[in-house]
Amino acid sequence: GEYVSPYLQRRLRDYEEVRQKQLSRQALDALIAATLDDAKAAGHGPVGQINLATQAVLKSQPEIGALDALEAVEKVRRKIIDETP
């Protein structure tokens, strides 16, 4: 048979599935931002803020691995830093 790229064989997602994923990502980003803010207000340094936010991600979405949770926290943290005047 002819070779067909695995990319072309992937399952297509419908609009609702994509929208739900975007909404859940927005909710996760909001959770991370709030946790970082609360941790900073409580006097935690950057490492403590990151640890608390990563723990919050893992608690809210246990199916996410620790490295993925940390990556999500770092992404939100960088965005917050970039937006700060």
Side-chain angles (χ1 to χ4, degrees), residues 20 24 33 39 68:
Q20 286 300 322
S24 67
D68 290 334

Side-chain angles (χ1 to χ4, degrees), residues 13-52:
R13 298 178 297 167
D14 65 11
Y15 173 76
E16 187 59 29
E17 184 179 354
V18 171
R19 192 175 76 75
Q20 286 300 322
K21 186 169 184 168
Q22 287 174 336
L23 290 174
S24 67
R25 181 62 203 206
Q26 290 170 348
L28 183 63
D29 288 355
L31 169 70
I32 293 169
T35 304
L36 289 170
D37 191 45
D38 291 347
K40 184 176 182 178
H44 292 278
V47 173
Q49 295 170 29
I50 292 167
N51 285 338
L52 289 171

Side-chain angles (χ1 to χ4, degrees), residues 38-72:
D38 291 347
K40 184 176 182 178
H44 292 278
V47 173
Q49 295 170 29
I50 292 167
N51 285 338
L52 289 171
T54 302
Q55 290 173 16
V57 170
L58 292 172
K59 185 176 180 181
S60 74
Q61 297 192 4
E63 73 279 0
I64 294 178
L67 289 177
D68 290 334
L70 181 59
E71 182 181 346

